Amino acid sequence: DDAIKVHQDMRLSATNLKAGNRLLCELDVERSHYLHVARGAVACDGKSLKSGDALLIKEERALNFMADEDTELLWFDLP
């Protein structure tokens, strides 16, 4: 098994969005979230993000994403 073991209350997810695709993420307001743009460019609720950019998200119920180009996102769900 090549999985990385993390001894914390967290979950890591990755997603790929093709240019022009949209994604709605519903969030648990009791948790924090960290988004990292691994490659590409995306708008998050109107805020432009590009490769290497990141957001720390707290107390949000939902976020809307639209890929400006083919994009890979890493999503951390944290306590």
Side-chain angles (χ1 to χ4, degrees), residues 46-62:
K47 183 177 291 194
S48 295
L49 303 167
K50 62 184 186 315
S51 292
D53 287 344
L55 286 176
L56 177 60
I57 303 139
K58 294 183 176 187
E59 300 178 358
E60 292 285 339
R61 293 194 181 282

Side-chain angles (χ1 to χ4, degrees), residues 4 21 23 28 41 46 58 64:
I4 296 172
N21 282 2
L23 175 67
D28 181 348
K58 294 183 176 187
N64 291 288

Side-chain angles (χ1 to χ4, degrees):
D1 184 3
D2 292 335
I4 296 172
K5 293 184 181 183
V6 178
H7 300 282
Q8 297 292 324
D9 175 18
M10 64 86 67
R11 186 175 62 183
L12 170 62
S13 303
T15 191
N16 293 301
L17 293 175
K18 294 284 188 189
N21 282 2
R22 295 179 181 270
L23 175 67
L24 171 64
C25 290
E26 294 182 6
L27 308 174
D28 181 348
V29 296
E30 299 295 321
R31 297 190 53 90
S32 297
H33 308 274
Y34 178 83
L35 172 77
H36 176 77
V37 182
R39 67 177 175 83
V42 66
C44 175
D45 286 341
K47 183 177 291 194
S48 295
L49 303 167
K50 62 184 186 315
S51 292
D53 287 344
L55 286 176
L56 177 60
I57 303 139
K58 294 183 176 187
E59 300 178 358
E60 292 285 339
R61 293 194 181 282
L63 292 174
N64 291 288
F65 296 94
M66 190 184 83
D68 296 324
E69 57 188 63
D70 290 355
T71 301
E72 182 178 3
L73 302 173
L74 298 176
W75 185 267
F76 297 81
D77 179 327
L78 307 164

